[in-house]
Amino acid sequence: MDKQDQTQAVNVKPLRRPPQARPDHAIPVLVVMAGNDIGKVFYFDEEGQTIGRDVEVQIPLTDSLVSRRHAQVYRQKAEDGDAVHHIVVDLHSTNGTFVNGERISKVFLQNGDKIQIGDTTFKFTLHDETDHRYQQEIQRRIHLDDLTGLLSLNSFYERLERRLQQSRHRRSRVAVLMMDLDGLKAVNEKHGHLAGSFLIKSVAAHLRERLGPLGEVGRYGGDEFIAFIPDVETEEVLAHLENLRSAVAGHRFSFKDMPVRITLSVGLATFPWDGHSVESLVAAADAALFSAKQQGKNRIVAHDRD
């Protein structure tokens, strides 16, 4: 058994008196104020959200002092039924759950409470619609690329690492894709860099539409994109990619009433056969992309395992 998952008997403070229940329309939020996951925002509901290091929990933390299933937060209807309380309960963790510096077993949360789990500190807040829209915009700016609206590279890597952890646990596959526009330099030289930016944004929309429902898509940088597709057989992944490639090649993009053509090259690597880490899988997909370019562009190449 993981030492950090062993149950530890502790003396804890009794459950404090419930605060005045909040209106049901208030949005409960946990914001990570300190720790490896600083800046992340989590929401929770009546069903509850489990906090921990386990790959299946709803609020995952990359903190070695956190147990696999450390604590749970949830909403509970007040007795009058028109409002709710918000509660955090420790799940017999090794290192304990603290609220405002005091170790607890279960406690009613009040707006502004600080919850410490391992080296991670959350702030519990209740948002109205204005707060909610503001927080969503902040998260958008943190996690999305400005030009394309796709995931930023750091956010993409974080999600890929999370998916790989789940796939190791489930013994399932993950396809990792590196994609590059063919001939963008020539477009920039002929029509200007605004035309190039237009094409990057337009192709990103194709990627979001065709690959987004299957997994996650990000912007690697410049005119390169990156994606992953979990739990899909290689033959099916290749079919989706061929549909994407042909759609981009056959689309008549129009920039300021000028027709502009572009094509897409794709490199494919698959976990666990082509790598076991984010770095090794991206490197394998990038090598396959290089081969696609060398073979004439506008094609899909899978990583050579020989």
Side-chain angles (χ1 to χ4, degrees), residues 152-208:
S152 66
L153 187 57
N154 284 340
S155 294
F156 176 86
Y157 278 162
E158 181 180 283
R159 297 192 187 192
L160 176 55
E161 177 59 44
R162 173 82 174 154
R163 173 54 65 173
L164 292 179
Q165 291 175 4
Q166 293 174 336
S167 294
R168 292 185 194 104
H169 180 70
R170 300 170 182 172
R171 297 184 179 180
S172 59
R173 65 177 65 214
V174 182
V176 177
L177 318 171
M178 285 290 293
M179 298 163 282
D180 184 41
L181 299 185
D182 304 317
L184 189 69
K185 181 179 179 182
V187 172
N188 286 335
E189 291 174 349
K190 182 177 181 180
H191 299 292
H193 284 82
L194 288 179
S197 296
F198 164 78
L199 282 176
I200 291 171
K201 185 175 182 179
S202 299
V203 172
H206 278 268
L207 299 179
R208 185 186 303 107

Side-chain angles (χ1 to χ4, degrees), residues 15 31 56 58 88 120 131 143 153 162 179 206 249 289 291:
L15 182 66
V31 181
E56 303 295 343
Q58 296 82 18
V88 58
T120 301
D131 296 326
H143 296 296
L153 187 57
R162 173 82 174 154
M179 298 163 282
H206 278 268
L289 173 61
S291 296

Side-chain angles (χ1 to χ4, degrees), residues 5 12-13 18 34 56 77 111 135 149 168 206 221 229 241 244 250 256 284 287 291 296:
D5 295 330
V12 296
K13 292 182 71 70
E56 303 295 343
K77 286 281 187 181
N111 197 23
Q135 192 61 248
R168 292 185 194 104
H206 278 268
I229 300 174
L241 293 178
L244 169 66
K256 294 184 177 180
S291 296

Side-chain angles (χ1 to χ4, degrees), residues 19 37 46 122 126 128 133 144 212 224 235 240 245 249 259 261 266 272:
D37 301 279
E46 288 88 349
F122 296 95
L126 291 167
D128 59 21
R133 287 194 296 270
L144 301 183
E224 288 188 288
E235 293 76 11
H240 285 295
R245 185 208 61 76
R261 297 283 188 179
V266 184

Side-chain angles (χ1 to χ4, degrees), residues 32-40 61-63 117-122:
V32 181
M33 307 294 290
N36 295 335
D37 301 279
I38 189 169
K40 288 186 178 179
L61 298 178
T62 54
D63 185 336
I117 295 176
D119 284 333
T120 301
T121 301
F122 296 95

Side-chain angles (χ1 to χ4, degrees), residues 23-302:
D24 195 22
H25 60 263
I27 302 169
V29 180
L30 293 179
V31 181
V32 181
M33 307 294 290
N36 295 335
D37 301 279
I38 189 169
K40 288 186 178 179
V41 176
F42 301 97
Y43 303 90
F44 59 95
D45 53 27
E46 288 88 349
E47 294 183 0
Q49 307 289 306
T50 301
I51 305 170
R53 289 189 296 107
D54 191 273
V55 296
E56 303 295 343
V57 302
Q58 296 82 18
I59 303 180
L61 298 178
T62 54
D63 185 336
S64 61
L65 297 178
V66 173
S67 297
R68 294 189 180 281
R69 298 177 65 83
H70 194 110
Q72 186 180 54
V73 289
Y74 61 94
R75 303 171 68 189
Q76 178 178 289
K77 286 281 187 181
E79 291 183 359
D80 60 14
D82 295 326
V84 295
H85 296 298
H86 304 90
I87 299 169
V88 58
V89 57
D90 184 78
L91 300 178
H92 305 292
S93 66
T94 298
N95 294 314
T97 300
F98 297 79
V99 174
N100 300 328
E102 297 179 349
R103 189 164 188 166
I104 59 91
S105 58
K106 179 180 179 182
V107 75
F108 290 95
L109 292 170
Q110 301 185 62
N111 197 23
D113 277 349
K114 304 292 195 311
I115 305 169
Q116 185 171 356
I117 295 176
D119 284 333
T120 301
T121 301
F122 296 95
K123 182 178 181 179
F124 169 72
T125 62
L126 291 167
H127 285 180
D128 59 21
E129 285 300 323
T130 301
D131 296 326
H132 186 54
R133 287 194 296 270
Y134 169 77
Q135 192 61 248
Q136 286 184 317
E137 177 62 19
I138 292 297
Q139 293 302 306
R140 186 194 68 78
R141 296 188 183 195
I142 291 173
H143 296 296
L144 301 183
D145 174 69
D146 284 341
L147 177 63
T148 64
L150 301 178
L151 288 173
S152 66
L153 187 57
N154 284 340
S155 294
F156 176 86
Y157 278 162
E158 181 180 283
R159 297 192 187 192
L160 176 55
E161 177 59 44
R162 173 82 174 154
R163 173 54 65 173
L164 292 179
Q165 291 175 4
Q166 293 174 336
S167 294
R168 292 185 194 104
H169 180 70
R170 300 170 182 172
R171 297 184 179 180
S172 59
R173 65 177 65 214
V174 182
V176 177
L177 318 171
M178 285 290 293
M179 298 163 282
D180 184 41
L181 299 185
D182 304 317
L184 189 69
K185 181 179 179 182
V187 172
N188 286 335
E189 291 174 349
K190 182 177 181 180
H191 299 292
H193 284 82
L194 288 179
S197 296
F198 164 78
L199 282 176
I200 291 171
K201 185 175 182 179
S202 299
V203 172
H206 278 268
L207 299 179
R208 185 186 303 107
E209 177 184 353
R210 294 176 179 273
L211 299 183
L214 303 173
E216 299 284 1
V217 188
R219 186 181 182 192
Y220 190 80
D223 60 348
E224 288 188 288
F225 305 94
I226 189 168
F228 71 80
I229 300 174
D231 306 323
V232 177
E233 295 291 331
T234 299
E235 293 76 11
E236 186 177 346
V237 171
L238 289 171
H240 285 295
L241 293 178
E242 177 55 28
N243 289 337
L244 169 66
R245 185 208 61 76
S246 61
V248 172
H251 190 83
R252 181 173 176 173
F253 297 99
S254 179
F255 177 72
K256 294 184 177 180
D257 297 325
M258 296 182 295
V260 185
R261 297 283 188 179
I262 200 76
T263 59
L264 185 71
S265 293
V266 184
L268 165 65
T270 306
F271 170 87
W273 298 278
D274 298 321
H276 292 86
S277 66
V278 171
E279 293 79 9
S280 60
L281 286 163
V282 171
D286 197 40
L289 173 61
F290 181 78
S291 296
K293 292 286 194 179
Q294 292 292 99
Q295 293 176 32
K297 305 178 182 179
N298 190 26
R299 64 193 64 220
I300 304 153
V301 174

